Amino acid sequence: MASIARLVVFFISCIAAYGAEDGAVEYLALNAAVQVRVGEGLDVERIAQEARAAGVDAVVFTEPDVRRVDYGPPFLRSLLRSSYQEHSLYSSNGTAQYLQNVERAQQRFPQMVLVEGVESRPFYYWASGGDGPWALEQWNRRIAAVGLSDAEAYGGLPVSGGAGIGVWNLSSVLLLWPLLGLAYAVVARAHPLALRLVIGAASLLCLVENVPFTVPLWDPYKGDLGPAPYQHYIDRVNEGGGLALWLPVDEALSQRRIALFFGQLTAFVPPAEMGDELLKTRGATAFAALHSGRASAADLGRSWDKVLIEYLNGERRQPLWALGCVDYDSGAQLDSILTVFGVRQASRAGLFEAMRQGRMYAVSGGALRLQLEDFRAESADRSAGAGETLVGAGSVEVIARLSSQNGAVQQVRAQLIRAGKIVREVRGTTPLEMRYVEEVEGGKPVKTYFRLMAQSGDSRLVSNPIFARVEGL
């Protein structure tokens, strides 16, 4: 939003599924950098200035909340634990200051949209590495929470190493059992003093070990707990009115070795890919479909297509939307990977509404990036855009138009994907138009979705799907 010229009208033909008479809605294109970390200085204003200069209209910050790994021997895991810790909001008690800095920067740059959020690593677990070092599994899996109310809400997220992982329940009462040993040491004067002192000291150690008498939702010593920790995190974010976003796996962390107990315990982080967590969890708003990593869950026939098919089949209450994640902390330029939102208004509320509805696409390529000028499906007198459901009868026509952000003529390949399979591929130069018509015969209604992928040089584009429920004539 640095100038009116950049607020190009972004047509996602948005005639509601049951409201063709309402007419098409024109949305503003909001170029957003998602997954931006500020760093130790928490200098949000500097990044806002950099974004404005690069033509980026919105920034979604995802500052790490907890980056700590603990290992403790059995029975006294808290008292004798060793920790490895990197800078984070939790380690510096900086969450409140971080939120204030974002708010202050928003006031200074009112023409931009600045959104606070945290990057979390909810779960890790220890696994034997055989003859080699221990494996620190799943510490490179990341998910973000954005749009929560305050520092307390962010600090209360269930994350390994954070305060939010502990809960009070009836088991908390059992953690007070060392009081019996202390009572024995004080009251049983007829028993030998040495015995009472030993029992009293051991009981005191155990009592300190159990402070603050909360029961952790999980710990790193019970192996792989499947999707449960991540589902719990997503549920907590949703309960707080926020949005949970799957971030790309931290490839820079993979294969890293860390040392605990003065180097006596060495652990490494095994590599991983995003995939199963998308299929096995419910309720997240979006995921990193486009990022700097090698593999993507948005590739043809992979996890995202499977998730969308589950939604079509009624196995999910909501779909999962695609984002572009810039991973600014790794040295990438803010505009190297963008999420382009179609917003009703250039505001925090407008961005959240577009993200919840799937009115956005992901694109890479910087100044040479592609633009999605139009993407819609039509049937009879009805039309739907990305994130919407087309309800119609007879044939379905899908229309997509691509251009180059800087107006240059570029070679481009565009693929239209229907329910996990390519149904149309077009190669040409920008501006490029693609049309696909599917005839629906009488009989069983068709339930499907269409999404678009395109590539031109170093620029890649991933759209969100248009769903269709169409009956034959």
Side-chain angles (χ1 to χ4, degrees):
M1 296 176 337
S3 68
I4 298 297
R6 286 213 314 275
L7 287 179
V8 181
V9 173
F10 177 39
F11 276 98
I12 313 174
S13 168
C14 206
I15 304 173
Y18 295 100
E21 65 276 10
D22 293 338
V25 178
E26 295 180 0
Y27 294 98
L28 297 177
L30 197 71
N31 297 329
V34 179
Q35 195 192 2
V36 176
R37 292 186 290 280
V38 188
E40 292 191 35
L42 295 178
D43 193 351
V44 177
E45 292 189 10
R46 176 187 61 81
I47 293 178
Q49 285 181 317
E50 183 180 336
R52 187 180 179 187
V56 176
D57 309 310
V59 179
V60 178
F61 295 97
T62 56
E63 197 66 14
D65 56 359
V66 179
R67 280 190 172 183
R68 195 180 80 195
V69 170
D70 297 322
Y71 183 84
F75 306 114
L76 295 175
R77 294 197 186 277
S78 295
L79 285 176
L80 301 182
R81 73 185 175 197
S82 178
S83 299
Y84 170 84
Q85 184 163 279
E86 298 178 357
H87 177 78
S88 66
L89 295 174
Y90 188 83
S91 65
S92 61
N93 295 317
T95 305
Q97 184 62 53
Y98 162 60
L99 299 183
Q100 291 171 10
N101 288 359
V102 175
E103 183 177 0
R104 187 180 303 115
Q106 181 66 84
Q107 293 172 355
R108 182 178 174 187
F109 299 95
Q111 71 276 32
M112 300 191 68
V113 178
L114 304 178
V115 175
E116 89 294 333
V118 298
E119 171 196 297
S120 303
R121 303 168 192 258
F123 176 66
Y124 66 86
Y125 69 93
W126 293 101
S128 173
D131 295 332
W134 279 68
L136 184 57
E137 298 279 359
Q138 299 191 21
W139 199 44
N140 47 6
R141 295 192 182 278
R142 303 179 290 186
I143 190 169
V146 300
L148 294 178
S149 57
D150 51 32
E152 183 178 357
Y154 283 110
L157 292 172
V159 177
S160 292
I165 198 174
V167 296
W168 292 88
N169 56 31
L170 290 177
S171 299
S172 300
V173 178
L174 299 179
L175 297 177
L176 297 173
W177 69 264
L179 292 176
L180 297 176
L182 290 175
Y184 167 82
V186 173
V187 174
R189 298 180 180 274
H191 291 198
L193 177 61
L195 177 63
R196 290 161 49 209
L197 289 176
V198 168
I199 292 177
S203 298
L204 182 60
L205 278 175
C206 292
L207 188 66
V208 174
E209 168 75 11
N210 292 342
V211 172
F213 309 110
T214 55
V215 179
L217 294 168
W218 54 79
D219 64 47
Y221 308 108
K222 294 184 174 66
D224 188 358
L225 300 182
Y230 304 102
Q231 188 62 64
H232 200 94
Y233 181 97
I234 293 169
D235 292 344
R236 186 76 64 85
V237 172
N238 289 336
E239 289 166 4
L243 294 84
L245 315 175
W246 280 108
L247 301 181
V249 171
D250 190 349
E251 293 187 1
L253 186 62
S254 299
Q255 302 293 2
R256 183 184 299 178
R257 293 174 181 263
I258 65 171
L260 298 166
F261 291 110
F262 306 101
Q264 298 306 303
L265 174 63
T266 302
F268 79 102
V269 183
E273 289 185 5
M274 180 184 293
D276 285 350
E277 61 267 41
L278 303 186
L279 285 165
K280 294 179 179 179
T281 57
R282 300 286 191 275
T285 301
F287 80 106
L290 200 58
H291 53 86
S292 59
R294 294 182 297 274
S296 172
D299 290 344
L300 185 66
R302 299 195 66 179
S303 300
W304 190 33
D305 279 320
K306 295 176 182 177
V307 167
L308 296 177
I309 290 172
E310 287 182 349
Y311 172 71
L312 283 178
N313 294 336
E315 300 169 27
R316 289 176 176 265
R317 294 180 58 186
Q318 65 187 63
L320 185 66
W321 306 121
L323 287 172
C325 289
V326 65
D327 201 7
Y328 175 75
D329 194 47
S330 66
Q333 297 295 316
L334 278 171
D335 65 344
S336 61
I337 299 178
L338 295 175
T339 303
V340 182
F341 292 91
V343 299
R344 300 176 189 273
Q345 57 181 357
S347 66
R348 175 188 177 97
L351 185 148
F352 284 165
E353 190 260 347
M355 189 183 297
R356 291 185 190 277
Q357 299 298 321
R359 277 201 320 272
M360 67 268 194
Y361 66 88
V363 64
S364 65
L368 297 177
R369 64 183 178 270
L370 293 168
Q371 285 189 157
L372 185 58
E373 300 287 350
D374 192 5
F375 182 49
R376 68 183 187 275
E378 297 181 341
S379 179
D381 60 346
R382 298 181 184 274
S383 178
E388 298 182 327
T389 299
L390 173 68
V391 178
S395 64
V396 177
E397 183 176 22
V398 181
I399 302 164
R401 293 190 181 95
L402 294 160
S403 65
S404 176
Q405 191 271 339
N406 61 2
V409 176
Q410 299 185 58
Q411 292 289 330
V412 60
R413 181 184 69 172
Q415 296 174 320
L416 183 66
I417 298 167
R418 177 193 186 278
K421 296 181 180 179
I422 298 173
V423 293
R424 184 92 165 93
E425 181 171 316
V426 175
R427 296 173 184 263
T429 57
T430 54
L432 179 75
E433 180 175 298
M434 170 193 286
R435 288 178 179 266
Y436 170 79
V437 177
E438 181 168 321
E439 298 292 342
V440 180
E441 304 295 337
K444 187 176 181 181
V446 172
K447 291 196 303 183
T448 191
Y449 68 85
F450 300 95
R451 66 182 184 93
L452 185 71
M453 295 182 69
Q455 184 162 1
S456 175
D458 292 331
S459 178
R460 291 187 62 201
L461 185 147
V462 179
S463 82
N464 271 298
I466 303 170
F467 297 99
R469 297 202 309 269
V470 184
E471 297 183 358
L473 296 176

